[in-house]
Amino acid sequence: MATVERVNTGLLNDKLTVKLNKEDYLPSFEKKLKEYSKTANIPGFRKGMVPAGMIKKMYGAGLFQDEVLRTIEKQLYTYLDKEKPEIFAQPLPLENELQKLDMNSPGDFDFSFEIGLKPAFTLSDIAKASFTRNTVSVTDEMVTEEINRMQLKAGKMQEKETIDNEEDVINVLLTESDENSIGIEGGVIKDISVPVKLFNSKMQKQLMGKKAGDSFVYQLESAFEGENLVTILKDLDLKNNDTAPAKKYFQQEIKTIGIVEKREMNEEFFNEVYPGKNIKTEEDLKTALKEEIQKYWDAQSRNQLHDQLYHNLLEQTKMEFPKEFLTRWLKTGGDKQRTHEEAEAEYPTFENQLKWTLISDTIIKENKLDVSEEELRASLKEEVSRYFGNMNMGEDMSWLESYIDRMMKDEKQIDATYRRLVTEKLFGWAEGQAKSTEKTVTSEELIAMQHNHQH
């Protein structure tokens, strides 16, 4: 009868050996041979009349190996299911001599596997730590600057040949690339209008004298600063939770150059920028815009607090890992084969990801932070509504529920939505546990904090 032997080989690292004798696999192998002899189509023989010796000669070696391996796998996972050791990923097979499998000499076989065990740990007590909620107060100047930008964006442009003034506006095609102008597959490609004064002073000097058709590459954070950087990230739909969005490179091709006549402040303009809000006066516009800008910065403030919570949990929760096992797993058991050097280089990031997974799974499990089907549907509905935005969809919205029904069948979509919602709940829980003091900072200071950490 098959047995599994477990031996500790190092820190959080065990060896499992599956021991088989021939009674564990030989009857199944002989049964497979008989089944093949009944179904095999071999020229010169009627179906079901092929001699057993010929079947064994032609297919026996492969069937024998398959049956032995199937039996090993069954015994291994039966053991894991029964004993339930807390392991990382899948067991790694050790050097097993498959070439010694011989159907003509069935006997006892030992096959060994390596497992890495998850560490025991105690979560950082964030209730005893100190955090700062860095907040931005929206000023009248910030509102005025945004209105000016909106007036320019909606204004009439008169074309000119070259850039010679910071008040010029350039229509550009931005294509995400590397620093050598080689396009990034699946990267952002977008036509936008950019006032020259949105660029920093160094880039403005480089732009002077440029003409339509000129193109060059720059890194976003080297071309824009402060709130102007935030503006360009929003125009390119690069979210703050994207991976270091400000560090992305773009090739900029100048399509046209012009000087813009600002849009007149009237009800037609108000309705274009805030449709359906019934804004009648400039004061109404300023009030609505200030609320929107404040809402944006409040969200950024909360994100930055969440970043502090993330670092506290990650850095103050102590745990050990079976590094040698995980490095070997990264080489051979991950999404692709890696060299030893590649696995060593990637390991620190890999370990941090594993650590955060253990921490977040523990918080979610201990605090029952689940996401219901109703919450998934509500989130998808909000996403669809936001996507269609200001389009006039008419009064009949009966199509929306059936559209959400189809989205609920998309496993990839549901998995991404679930992960986002449960992560929001996790940080909501952490925020409720933490004690934070409020500090007013400028938008530039908050942006600098965010660019120091991107997770």
Side-chain angles (χ1 to χ4, degrees):
M1 182 178 177
T3 59
V4 177
E5 181 182 275
R6 179 175 175 177
V7 178
N8 178 253
T9 56
L11 173 66
L12 298 171
N13 194 191
D14 286 0
K15 176 182 175 182
L16 300 179
T17 302
V18 180
K19 296 178 173 290
L20 300 183
N21 57 47
K22 64 181 181 182
E23 286 75 21
D24 295 314
Y25 60 83
L26 194 58
S28 296
F29 166 63
E30 292 172 343
K31 182 180 178 182
K32 287 286 184 183
L33 282 177
K34 290 179 181 178
E35 290 174 354
Y36 257 67
S37 66
K38 293 178 182 178
T39 59
N41 287 310
I42 297 177
F45 295 92
R46 291 174 59 189
K47 190 173 182 178
M49 301 299 291
V50 183
M54 181 173 287
I55 291 292
K56 188 173 183 179
K57 184 177 181 180
M58 294 177 67
Y59 302 109
L63 288 174
F64 184 78
Q65 180 170 303
D66 288 347
E67 197 56 38
V68 172
L69 294 179
R70 187 193 67 79
T71 305
I72 291 166
E73 183 176 336
K74 178 182 176 182
Q75 294 299 325
L76 174 64
Y77 285 100
T78 297
Y79 173 86
L80 293 175
D81 186 58
K82 180 182 178 183
E83 299 297 326
K84 293 181 171 52
E86 289 287 327
I87 66 172
F88 286 113
Q90 298 296 317
L92 279 180
L94 293 171
E95 292 294 328
N96 293 307
E97 297 179 348
L98 291 175
Q99 64 271 22
K100 289 187 176 180
L101 294 179
D102 184 358
M103 64 178 174
N104 296 312
S105 300
D108 298 342
F109 298 113
D110 291 353
F111 283 82
S112 297
F113 299 83
E114 194 178 16
I115 57 173
L117 303 171
K118 295 179 181 179
F121 61 92
T122 301
L123 283 173
S124 168
D125 189 352
I126 53 179
K128 294 181 179 178
S130 297
F131 301 94
T132 302
R133 186 184 290 270
N134 297 288
T135 61
V136 174
S137 293
V138 177
T139 63
D140 292 339
E141 183 183 1
M142 293 164 70
V143 174
T144 300
E145 287 180 2
E146 182 63 19
I147 290 176
N148 286 334
R149 193 180 80 86
M150 294 164 74
Q151 284 181 281
L152 286 171
K153 190 173 182 179
K156 293 180 180 179
M157 180 182 286
Q158 295 179 348
E159 289 193 22
K160 54 191 294 190
E161 289 188 4
T162 60
I163 301 172
D164 59 15
N165 193 292
E166 69 169 16
E167 295 299 326
D168 291 343
V169 174
I170 53 176
N171 292 321
V172 299
L173 173 64
L174 288 177
T175 304
E176 190 177 345
S177 68
D178 63 14
E179 56 188 312
N180 299 312
S181 301
I182 299 175
I184 302 294
E185 185 177 352
V188 175
I189 301 176
K190 199 161 188 180
D191 283 297
I192 62 172
S193 295
V194 189
V196 171
K197 64 182 179 183
L198 205 66
F199 293 89
N200 60 28
S201 57
K202 181 180 178 181
M203 184 59 70
Q204 285 184 32
K205 290 178 182 178
Q206 294 180 28
L207 285 170
M208 294 302 155
K210 297 290 185 183
K211 299 180 180 180
D214 289 346
S215 65
F216 49 94
V217 170
Y218 56 76
Q219 193 176 29
L220 293 179
E221 66 178 4
S222 69
F224 304 93
E225 297 172 355
E227 291 182 40
N228 293 341
L229 177 58
V230 173
T231 297
I232 204 71
L233 291 174
K234 289 169 69 176
D235 286 347
L236 290 170
D237 295 325
L238 294 174
K239 310 301 182 186
N240 276 357
N241 59 358
D242 195 356
T243 304
K247 296 188 180 298
K248 290 179 181 287
Y249 284 88
F250 279 83
Q251 177 170 305
Q252 173 175 286
E253 180 185 355
I254 300 174
K255 293 296 188 181
T256 59
I257 305 165
I259 190 76
V260 176
E261 180 184 340
K262 281 186 180 180
R263 183 69 176 273
E264 184 182 352
M265 299 274 278
N266 53 30
E267 283 194 45
E268 183 183 6
F269 172 66
F270 301 151
N271 287 328
E272 283 184 17
V273 295
Y274 278 114
K277 297 290 186 179
N278 198 31
I279 293 176
K280 302 289 187 183
T281 67
E282 184 176 343
E283 285 305 312
D284 291 341
L285 176 63
K286 287 181 177 179
T287 299
L289 194 54
K290 189 169 186 176
E291 289 177 358
E292 184 178 286
I293 297 173
Q294 190 64 64
K295 185 178 179 181
Y296 170 81
W297 284 113
D298 287 347
Q300 300 313 305
S301 173
R302 190 165 184 243
N303 287 343
Q304 205 281 319
L305 175 59
H306 290 178
D307 184 79
Q308 296 176 53
L309 293 166
Y310 167 84
H311 277 281
N312 179 277
L313 286 166
L314 191 69
E315 294 163 12
Q316 300 304 317
T317 300
K318 306 303 180 184
M319 59 179 82
E320 294 183 288
F321 287 91
K323 180 180 177 181
E324 291 184 4
F325 165 80
L326 290 173
T327 303
R328 286 193 292 273
W329 186 89
L330 197 56
K331 281 176 60 179
T332 62
D335 54 352
K336 64 177 182 179
Q337 295 287 313
R338 293 171 174 83
T339 64
H340 180 74
E341 290 73 20
E342 288 172 334
E344 285 281 351
E346 292 181 32
Y347 180 78
T349 300
F350 177 62
E351 184 181 280
N352 265 356
Q353 291 171 341
L354 285 179
K355 187 175 182 181
W356 178 248
T357 298
L358 292 175
I359 291 170
S360 56
D361 284 351
T362 298
I363 293 173
I364 289 167
K365 183 178 179 181
E366 289 183 353
N367 296 280
K368 299 180 173 60
L369 305 179
D370 202 5
V371 178
S372 67
E373 182 177 337
E374 291 74 17
E375 289 172 315
L376 285 170
R377 290 186 69 90
S379 178
L380 292 173
K381 190 176 292 186
E382 181 182 346
E383 188 177 325
V384 171
S385 300
R386 188 167 54 247
Y387 175 79
F388 286 110
N390 300 321
M391 298 181 193
N392 184 7
M393 304 303 294
E395 295 182 3
D396 184 10
M397 296 293 287
S398 57
W399 59 272
L400 184 57
E401 289 301 326
S402 59
Y403 189 81
I404 299 301
D405 287 340
R406 290 196 296 275
M407 292 182 75
M408 290 290 289
K409 295 177 182 177
D410 184 340
E411 291 185 12
K412 192 173 181 180
Q413 172 83 51
I414 292 301
D415 182 64
T417 303
Y418 176 88
R419 288 176 183 273
R420 176 175 57 80
L421 292 178
V422 81
T423 300
E424 288 175 4
K425 288 192 175 189
L426 186 156
F427 280 104
W429 170 85
E431 192 176 348
Q433 303 297 308
K435 296 174 183 176
S436 61
T437 56
E438 193 164 305
K439 178 183 177 182
T440 301
V441 297
T442 65
S443 56
E444 289 82 1
E445 288 172 329
L446 185 56
I447 291 167
M449 294 175 198
Q450 292 172 326
H451 290 164
N452 287 336
H453 299 283
Q454 291 290 339
H455 307 293

